[in-house]
Amino acid sequence: MKLKKQVTVCGAAIFCVAVFSLYLMLDRVQHDPARHQSGGNFPRSQISVLQNRIEQLEQLLEENHEIISHIKDSVLELTAHADGQPAPPRRDNGSWTLPPESRPSFLAVSPQDCQFALGAKGESPDLQMLAVYSLLPFDNQDGGVWKQGFDITYEPSEWDAEPLQVFVVPHSHNDPGWIKTFDKYYYDQTQHILNSMVLKMQEDPRRRFIWSEISFFSKWWDNISAQKRAAVRRLVGNGQLEMVTGGWVMPDEANSHYFAMIDQLIEGHQWLEKNIGVTPRSGWAVDPFGYSSTMPYLLKRSNLTGMVIQRVHYAIKKHFAASQNLEFMWRQTWDPDSSTDIFCHMMPFYSYDVPHTCGPDPKICCQFDFKRLPGGRINCPWKVPPRAITEANVAERAQLLLDQYRKKSKLYRSKVLLVPLGDDFRYDKPQEWDAQFLNYQRIFDFLNAQPQLHVQAQFGTLSDYFDALYKKAGIVPGMRPPGFPVLSGDFFSYADREDHYWTGYYTSRPFYKSLDRVLEAHLRLLSSARRNLGLFQHHDAITGTAKEAVVVDYGVRLLHSLTNLKRVIINAAHYLVLGDKDTYRYDPATLFLSADDTRLNQDSLPERTVVKLDASPRFLVVFNPLEQERLSLVPLLVNSPHVRVLSENGQPLPAQLSAHWSSATDAVPDTYQLSILARLPALGLRVLQLQKSFDGHSTLQSSVRLYLHGRDVTVRQQEAVPVQVFPAAPDDFCLESQHLRSCFSGSSGLLQSLRCAGEEREQRVSTEFFIYGTRTSKDKSGAYLFLPDGEAKPYTPKDPPIVRVTEGPLFSEVSSYYQHVQTVVRLYNVPGVEGLSLDVSCLVDIRDHVNKELAMRFSTNIESDDTFFTDLNGFQIQPRRYQQKLPLQANFYPMPAMAYIQDTQSRLTLHTAQALGVSSLGSGQLEVILDRRLMQDDNRGLGQGLKDNKRTCNRFRLLLERRSSASKVQDGRPVSFPSLLSHLTSMHLNAEALVLPVAQQPALPALRSFAPLSTTLPCDFHILNLRTLQAEDDSLPSAEAALILHRKGFDCSLEAKNLGFNCTTSQGQLALGSLFQGLELNSLQPTSLTLMYPLGTASNSTNIQLNPMEIATFRIRLG
């Protein structure tokens, strides 16, 4: 029984940490979270740990006396101030101020840790994409039969010494949702493709096929017989069938976050290992609309050795083809050596379909797509149909095809040629298998029997192709072939022809881009939720480029997963906060805790739960999904203004009371917003209690000024929150906190300037809204394309805005209500990360717009010239340059997490909680597209416009930082990093505290806060994921878990004064053994990213070392 209880406790703790290892780095160091449980006595052991750390730092940083003395002071003060809860604010000269933190903050960053961002000593790449963009004319000249290229010539004798080796790779591109839903595609097409594959591949051992989408493959696997499964394993085993990339989907690379990209890759790889016993070797991404350099990094760290990409700007393809640079080693911009290099093959022509893969002339290649034989449902647009291969015509047909193969081969450095053979949902009928495989085999047999042609042609898999290339080069897979270039950078933004830039999908359907991130912020444990999140990373899902009915299907799946995840978190939290675990009872009918908000439908915004107060105290459990303690304002709706908030041991906590508004002028009756200032343990649960109290000093009141701007509207207000109503617009005005002063336009209510505490200079940050139209010609903007009718025009609503200003001791905000957008700019008057940036949200509703796109633009006097910076997948930063020679739409880029502009003095970063399109169209500007409503298809296959807009809330943080040691030379480098504060700000924005009210009940058991971490992490470390692994027996939890850590790269040149949070770095050293409270780390096995390959042997040592920017996975066993 005792063993069973230990297993239960251990399981619950892993379960919790897995649920809780959510997304964020580090907000505090050197505080033992157990302090909250032990009544505030700071443990002596912790002090000795800190003092040891100081001695080490003194040896390393003798010159840095200031930091050392600061840490020493901190240790002394930490012992003096046991209770870390901030005291209530007080009024000073009419404005609210918070007393100094009872515990000091410090920033102790090792100088060695600052070196990384200053630049690597390694060799420069041969091809830097930023430089390539500057070099190219983008002149789009007519290239003849290869319209976007050039005429290719060759001498027949070129292959005499070394024959041409051709690998024809049959494939079928299966979108997990696009025109049809995932399930409908599966039932209508995919299952038939895979069933035919098993049958037809067994007919001839020379046949080959590749498959990439495990979401479809796993569904099919669940529905086939043991006999068919054995046949599949045989086909994989003998090299006829290859699983390429092996992710749950072929993910979009613009809008997806690296957490979700990795998670869907692990999900696919784990499934393959468990069911087929196979590990993918080659990557295949033919349909994402542009390529991020994050993906080659993830594939390399998963032990893949080669990859194929296709949708790259046609001008870049032409340039690389002319210089034989279509195959290269893709290296990360931040890599000091070559450890991130992966071999990449770029397809040279317009598409991955058969007309554009055999060679430069689509009219000829189409004649070798035997699905288009006369009598079928599809034909060749070039009006010359394929002909079945016979003995009579094989010589002529083979010669025609060989000419295309030779021309295509001239674009590459090796004498090995890759020729894909497939298209969307191909090979769904046995007749197509016969038509393609039999006709091609006749051609191959003919070619291979003619030694004077010097060609060897065959069906192959992707790895067959790469292995032959490596063999010719005399290297092992993964090494750099001699003479091949090294490339760094990415391939955004994509144009497939003319000025048709695929930059619209960076914003299309922002409601679902936001819902995706909400789900990520809750995700840790449920397999079905992981798979639904993985499905949504598909390049027609998160992109917003699927049919309306398919979008609804994705939305229902995401919402279902979110609801289930909240239930898991609620049940785990219930167990973990009980003082006596024996009292735990799971009753699905009456949950102990409730969710903080509910969503009625897949397309509705969340509605917050109102906590009803009565004579007995109400309790809250607040979950902090960050890996470190945070000081946050916890928002809550209550039904009474007479309330006070206490910690679990009865200490009063500061809380601000404000009205809850349903519109610009209507306060919701009997509902109030309570904002509680609370310190939350890392990845932990804090118990708070609410009591009804008629003592007027128990909460801090806020005051409201309402400016009606001449509009005749009725104001509904509440007695408890005084509102002053002004019929006219105010003069310009400012709000101030201990960290920031922000000034606003009286007429628009929008932000105009920002000044950090201690700075003399005010920074202009003026906010405006703009509208883009679309062209009047035949090509118009749609779900994929952004084709504006010129520069944006100022947004001119029919009525002036109503502006509401709320001021209080813990936060103040300005809300501006326009017809199509409501903005709220909030200043937090609290120490730490929350108070150092502006919180900006935009509630957008453009459902009455016709062919319009709404943009928000910040204009500053930062001298950024033509340079700006955007993130790739929340993982790394890519410098961008506004290219005057390109059309406006070409200068937009994806922004999954942040974008910034800078000069030698300042950096302004816009952090985002959802992926959107961003640009800097002029010096000192940042512009983000908030939503787009478009009435027509843009001729890329969707067959619909974007007319299913929702009310969408876009959330941002605006961070202004001073730069101390910047130089023009350093800023010209093709690599950049956020500051540590910027990383933390992003994480706070993306992982808000979760409020779980305890249900009202007669006899409440004793509740205790829960802190799972026993030590703090260095603040450049992030627990990306802690997920249980698939057990052999599906009915039992696995004894093993995967711990994925990321060490962030950061820039030390941004000054950080009065941060209000603690932060130290450790040169990448981390002791994992003592990380989890009450849990021992029994084993630690470093593995490849997706756990398919062990790296070295499992060690008793639990100390690890991680280089900046690296992501590392460990297979761990906790006990």
Side-chain angles (χ1 to χ4, degrees):
M1 187 65 198
K2 189 178 178 192
L3 179 64
K4 189 174 179 184
K5 184 178 271 192
Q6 285 176 340
V7 169
T8 307
V9 172
C10 173
I14 296 176
F15 177 68
C16 163
V17 177
V19 171
F20 295 178
S21 294
L22 178 58
Y23 228 141
L24 250 51
M25 245 167 64
L26 306 149
D27 172 271
R28 280 234 161 236
V29 270
Q30 315 305 12
H31 310 320
D32 182 13
R35 181 185 62 254
H36 295 309
Q37 296 166 356
S38 58
N41 295 319
F42 195 87
R44 291 278 157 196
S45 62
Q46 184 73 1
I47 298 167
S48 65
V49 168
L50 277 172
Q51 287 171 332
N52 288 339
R53 172 71 58 84
I54 291 162
E55 285 167 15
Q56 292 167 14
L57 280 169
E58 281 178 324
Q59 290 167 8
L60 290 167
L61 316 173
E62 284 179 4
E63 75 283 3
N64 206 330
H65 297 302
E66 188 184 345
I67 289 177
I68 296 302
S69 62
H70 207 158
I71 300 174
K72 282 183 172 172
D73 293 346
S74 300
V75 175
L76 296 171
E77 289 195 59
L78 281 168
T79 55
H81 299 280
D83 183 18
Q85 188 56 49
R90 59 173 186 269
R91 278 211 110 124
D92 257 355
N93 304 325
S95 69
W96 288 99
T97 59
L98 278 170
E101 260 277 53
S102 60
R103 295 173 302 172
S105 63
F106 56 84
L107 184 71
V109 178
S110 154
Q112 287 91 327
D113 288 336
C114 293
Q115 290 305 309
F116 180 75
L118 297 176
K121 306 285 187 286
E123 57 169 316
S124 298
D126 307 289
L127 303 166
Q128 214 302 315
M129 288 312 299
L130 210 53
V132 170
Y133 257 79
S134 300
L135 180 78
L136 292 187
F138 293 95
D139 52 359
N140 193 20
Q141 292 180 359
D142 191 327
V145 293
W146 176 20
K147 275 199 92 55
Q148 297 171 329
F150 46 84
D151 194 32
I152 305 170
T153 58
Y154 64 86
E155 294 297 326
S157 59
E158 286 186 43
W159 291 273
D160 288 1
E162 191 182 343
L164 182 62
Q165 204 174 351
V166 180
F167 288 93
V168 173
V169 179
H171 69 98
S172 180
H173 179 65
N174 282 237
D175 290 304
W178 181 38
I179 305 301
K180 303 177 187 178
T181 64
F182 172 77
D183 286 336
K184 187 138 178 55
Y185 269 138
Y186 173 78
Y187 290 116
D188 289 358
Q189 285 154 291
T190 306
Q191 63 169 336
H192 304 303
I193 296 167
L194 292 169
N195 285 332
S196 300
M197 181 268 298
V198 179
L199 205 64
K200 291 293 177 183
M201 295 287 280
Q202 293 180 91
E203 290 179 5
D204 186 338
R206 294 173 296 180
R207 293 181 178 179
R208 299 286 185 272
F209 196 63
I210 62 170
W211 189 267
S212 68
E213 296 83 9
I214 304 305
S215 49
F216 274 130
F217 203 87
S218 69
K219 187 176 177 71
W220 174 69
W221 188 264
D222 290 342
N223 289 291
I224 60 174
S225 65
Q227 185 184 4
K228 205 176 260 189
R229 289 180 180 184
V232 171
R233 290 191 184 103
R234 279 196 304 275
L235 290 169
V236 170
N238 67 19
Q240 282 185 263
L241 171 64
E242 182 181 18
M243 307 310 260
V244 287
T245 308
W248 204 242
V249 296
M250 185 185 290
D252 169 50
E253 300 187 17
N255 303 292
S256 51
H257 193 276
Y258 77 120
F259 164 82
M261 292 169 82
I262 293 170
D263 209 58
Q264 65 85 32
L265 200 58
I266 292 176
E267 197 63 29
H269 284 192
Q270 290 288 300
W271 188 93
L272 284 171
E273 185 179 51
K274 182 183 172 189
N275 292 283
I276 306 181
V278 64
T279 53
R281 295 177 49 208
S282 303
W284 176 257
V286 291
D287 204 26
F289 325 137
Y291 297 93
S292 162
S293 48
T294 303
M295 201 64 189
Y297 173 75
L298 301 182
L299 296 182
K300 172 73 172 184
R301 291 292 176 256
S302 302
N303 258 28
L304 277 74
T305 52
M307 60 184 293
V308 172
I309 60 175
Q310 150 61 24
R311 289 191 183 272
V312 172
H313 195 298
Y314 60 87
I316 290 169
K317 288 190 172 209
K318 177 181 175 178
H319 175 65
F320 281 8
S323 49
Q324 288 190 323
N325 285 332
L326 288 164
E327 289 182 322
F328 48 84
M329 299 303 288
W330 199 345
R331 179 177 299 171
Q332 299 303 304
T333 51
W334 43 265
D335 183 2
D337 48 41
S338 58
S339 76
T340 61
D341 287 13
I342 184 170
F343 187 79
C344 182
H345 170 102
M346 183 189 294
M347 291 162 64
F349 307 124
Y350 174 75
S351 170
Y352 54 81
D353 62 6
V354 183
H356 296 96
T357 45
C358 91
D361 190 343
K363 181 178 178 180
I364 293 172
C365 291
C366 195
Q367 298 171 46
F368 294 91
D369 183 357
F370 295 104
K371 183 182 170 120
R372 301 178 196 243
L373 282 165
R377 286 194 308 173
I378 57 167
N379 51 32
C380 284
W382 296 269
K383 304 289 191 288
V384 184
R387 304 211 304 264
I389 305 301
T390 63
E391 275 193 40
N393 69 12
V394 67
E396 176 264 326
R397 303 311 286 167
Q399 195 67 51
L400 187 64
L401 184 58
L402 177 59
D403 176 60
Q404 290 297 304
Y405 286 169
R406 285 173 168 174
K407 284 176 175 168
K408 182 176 181 180
S409 167
K410 289 287 289 177
L411 307 179
Y412 293 90
R413 295 185 183 222
S414 89
K415 297 286 200 296
V416 186
L417 184 65
L418 173 65
V419 181
L421 180 70
D423 202 345
D424 292 1
F425 294 96
R426 281 302 190 87
Y427 301 97
D428 61 344
K429 293 189 170 57
Q431 297 90 309
E432 185 185 353
W433 285 88
D434 292 341
Q436 304 284 31
F437 280 92
L438 293 173
N439 283 300
Y440 267 97
Q441 195 62 57
R442 287 174 197 136
I443 294 172
F444 297 161
D445 291 345
F446 176 83
L447 290 173
N448 297 342
Q450 309 289 322
Q452 76 280 8
L453 295 178
H454 301 287
V455 62
Q456 177 73 35
Q458 65 208 65
F459 292 117
T461 62
L462 213 45
S463 291
D464 288 339
Y465 166 73
F466 284 128
D467 286 346
L469 190 148
Y470 298 143
K471 190 175 174 185
K472 279 264 176 89
I475 57 161
V476 296
M479 299 291 289
R480 177 180 173 185
F484 280 67
V486 172
L487 175 144
S488 73
D490 69 339
F491 295 103
F492 291 118
S493 286
Y494 169 56
D496 57 350
R497 58 179 186 254
E498 298 158 23
D499 59 355
H500 293 193
Y501 282 84
W502 297 44
T503 52
Y505 81 95
Y506 302 155
T507 293
S508 296
R509 293 184 168 121
F511 179 90
Y512 294 98
K513 286 176 163 65
S514 177
L515 183 56
D516 164 76
R517 292 282 271 276
V518 172
L519 178 57
E520 280 179 41
H522 288 76
L523 178 68
R524 279 306 172 264
L525 201 75
L526 288 191
S527 174
S528 64
R530 285 208 294 253
R531 290 178 174 185
N532 281 335
L533 178 69
L535 193 70
F536 194 68
Q537 303 315 304
H538 163 54
H539 57 259
D540 288 306
I542 193 172
T543 52
T545 57
K547 287 261 193 208
E548 289 177 13
V550 179
V551 172
V552 170
D553 180 61
Y554 287 134
V556 168
R557 287 170 182 270
L558 291 176
L559 181 60
H560 180 72
S561 295
L562 183 60
T563 306
N564 284 344
L565 281 169
K566 286 202 171 180
R567 194 163 281 241
V568 169
I569 291 170
I570 280 168
N571 289 328
H574 174 192
Y575 178 80
L576 291 163
V577 295
L578 287 175
D580 179 1
K581 303 287 188 258
D582 289 337
T583 62
Y584 176 77
R585 298 287 179 275
Y586 172 62
D587 181 359
T590 56
L591 291 174
F592 182 75
L593 299 167
S594 59
D596 56 330
D597 60 29
T598 53
R599 290 177 185 253
L600 294 176
N601 302 300
Q602 56 85 25
D603 60 353
S604 52
L605 288 168
E607 293 187 13
R608 290 165 60 199
T609 305
V610 180
V611 176
K612 295 184 166 45
L613 302 172
D614 54 25
S616 55
R618 288 296 306 271
F619 287 83
L620 306 173
V621 175
V622 186
F623 161 47
N624 170 22
L626 312 190
E627 299 99 329
Q628 218 167 33
E629 195 178 78
R630 79 199 272 183
L631 181 64
S632 280
L633 266 194
V634 177
L636 183 70
L637 294 182
V638 292
N639 68 339
S640 166
H642 308 296
V643 58
R644 66 175 182 154
V645 185
L646 306 174
S647 67
E648 66 187 288
N649 47 18
Q651 295 297 313
L653 299 182
Q656 177 174 324
L657 189 79
S658 40
H660 180 55
W661 300 85
S662 61
S663 72
T665 54
D666 290 335
V668 180
D670 303 321
T671 304
Y672 301 86
Q673 170 147 313
L674 190 65
S675 303
I676 307 160
L677 184 61
R679 196 178 299 284
L680 308 174
L683 293 173
L685 300 160
R686 176 91 192 262
V687 177
L688 305 175
Q689 59 172 307
L690 307 178
Q691 291 180 352
K692 241 186 170 176
S693 164
F694 291 89
D695 170 6
H697 303 293
S698 54
T699 53
L700 306 161
Q701 298 294 313
S702 51
S703 61
V704 178
R705 302 195 303 276
L706 198 53
Y707 299 97
L708 302 183
H709 227 114
R711 290 166 65 175
D712 183 19
V713 287
T714 308
V715 177
R716 292 183 181 83
Q717 53 179 297
Q718 299 178 342
E719 266 181 57
V721 182
V723 178
Q724 287 179 281
V725 180
F726 299 89
D731 296 329
D732 292 358
F733 61 95
C734 300
L735 296 177
E736 204 157 345
S737 72
Q738 57 184 309
H739 291 300
L740 294 171
R741 169 187 158 91
S742 53
C743 297
F744 297 82
S745 155
S747 58
S748 73
L750 300 177
L751 181 67
Q752 294 301 303
S753 67
L754 199 53
R755 191 179 80 206
C756 299
E759 294 288 322
E760 291 175 17
R761 209 164 59 108
E762 196 107 345
Q763 177 60 256
R764 182 170 78 93
V765 186
S766 87
T767 315
E768 297 164 280
F769 291 100
F770 285 86
I771 297 282
Y772 285 99
T774 190
R775 296 180 179 179
T776 51
S777 64
K778 62 179 172 57
D779 294 312
K780 294 183 170 67
S781 297
Y784 300 92
L785 305 183
F786 179 33
L787 294 170
D789 59 354
E791 292 186 4
K793 297 170 182 63
Y795 167 63
T796 49
K798 65 174 198 277
D799 295 312
I802 291 175
V803 177
R804 191 177 64 237
V805 182
T806 303
E807 286 194 74
L810 298 180
F811 78 85
S812 299
E813 67 182 21
V814 179
S815 307
S816 308
Y817 285 75
Y818 289 89
Q819 186 183 353
H820 300 99
V821 59
Q822 299 164 23
T823 68
V824 181
V825 179
R826 178 179 285 198
L827 283 84
Y828 288 106
N829 192 30
V830 299
V833 176
E834 309 265 295
L836 290 161
S837 57
L838 279 183
D839 192 297
V840 180
S841 63
C842 299
L843 184 62
V844 177
D845 186 352
I846 58 167
R847 286 175 294 183
D848 64 349
H849 274 169
V850 174
N851 277 331
K852 298 281 194 292
E853 311 196 24
L854 181 66
M856 176 169 62
R857 183 183 294 170
F858 298 99
S859 300
T860 73
N861 29 21
I862 292 172
E863 294 171 7
S864 58
D865 299 330
D866 60 356
T867 302
F868 60 111
F869 303 80
T870 67
D871 77 292
L872 290 168
N873 315 103
F875 173 63
Q876 58 187 328
I877 298 296
Q878 178 63 52
R880 308 289 184 193
R881 217 161 271 141
Y882 181 82
Q883 299 285 353
Q884 293 283 356
K885 62 190 169 189
L886 293 177
L888 181 147
Q889 66 269 22
N891 287 290
F892 275 81
Y893 292 92
M895 175 183 65
M898 69 177 80
Y900 53 84
I901 52 172
Q902 64 184 25
D903 57 19
T904 52
Q905 256 88 52
S906 307
R907 175 184 290 182
L908 181 74
T909 307
L910 180 67
H911 291 277
T912 179
Q914 58 287 307
L916 296 167
V918 73
S919 189
S920 173
L921 301 176
S923 184
Q925 288 184 8
L926 260 184
E927 177 173 316
V928 58
I929 308 283
L930 298 175
D931 201 358
R932 44 204 318 263
R933 183 171 167 83
L934 301 158
M935 313 315 285
Q936 63 284 311
D937 182 46
D938 50 9
N939 300 311
R940 291 306 182 276
L942 180 60
Q944 281 185 347
L946 279 181
K947 297 185 276 192
D948 57 347
N949 301 69
K950 321 290 179 203
R951 287 177 76 240
T952 301
C953 186
N954 292 315
R955 296 172 43 244
F956 307 98
R957 281 282 175 94
L958 204 56
L959 174 65
L960 179 64
E961 295 174 286
R962 181 179 175 82
R963 302 183 76 208
S964 59
S965 57
S967 70
K968 288 277 186 189
V969 176
Q970 191 181 326
D971 286 353
R973 290 169 47 238
V975 63
S976 185
F977 299 94
S979 65
L980 279 169
L981 173 60
S982 186
H983 280 305
L984 289 163
T985 302
S986 179
M987 298 179 122
H988 273 241
L989 173 63
N990 279 283
E992 297 178 298
L994 205 60
V995 182
L996 308 170
V998 178
Q1000 284 170 305
Q1001 48 197 275
L1004 198 67
L1007 304 179
R1008 275 217 311 261
S1009 294
F1010 170 75
L1013 299 190
S1014 55
T1015 59
T1016 52
L1017 287 135
C1019 57
D1020 54 348
F1021 271 79
H1022 170 42
I1023 299 178
L1024 189 61
N1025 207 339
L1026 177 60
R1027 53 177 278 167
T1028 51
L1029 296 174
Q1030 294 175 354
E1032 288 304 310
D1033 179 348
D1034 282 338
S1035 63
L1036 296 171
S1038 170
E1040 291 187 317
L1043 173 66
I1044 306 177
L1045 297 172
H1046 177 205
R1047 184 179 171 203
K1048 305 223 166 194
F1050 59 90
D1051 185 344
C1052 295
S1053 74
L1054 293 121
E1055 285 185 2
K1057 291 178 183 169
N1058 309 318
L1059 285 181
F1061 64 93
N1062 294 347
C1063 174
T1064 60
T1065 63
S1066 59
Q1067 295 174 56
Q1069 311 281 341
L1070 181 61
L1072 286 173
S1074 54
L1075 190 58
F1076 300 109
Q1077 184 98 7
L1079 285 175
E1080 275 189 41
L1081 195 58
N1082 290 340
S1083 73
L1084 177 80
Q1085 169 69 67
T1087 70
S1088 59
L1089 181 65
T1090 58
L1091 299 110
M1092 302 293 262
Y1093 299 88
L1095 303 176
T1097 52
S1099 156
N1100 290 335
S1101 169
T1102 55
N1103 296 333
I1104 63 153
Q1105 208 278 329
L1106 205 52
N1107 288 328
M1109 289 303 296
E1110 294 286 1
I1111 300 172
T1113 301
F1114 302 90
R1115 191 184 289 269
I1116 64 171
R1117 201 177 274 264
L1118 292 166

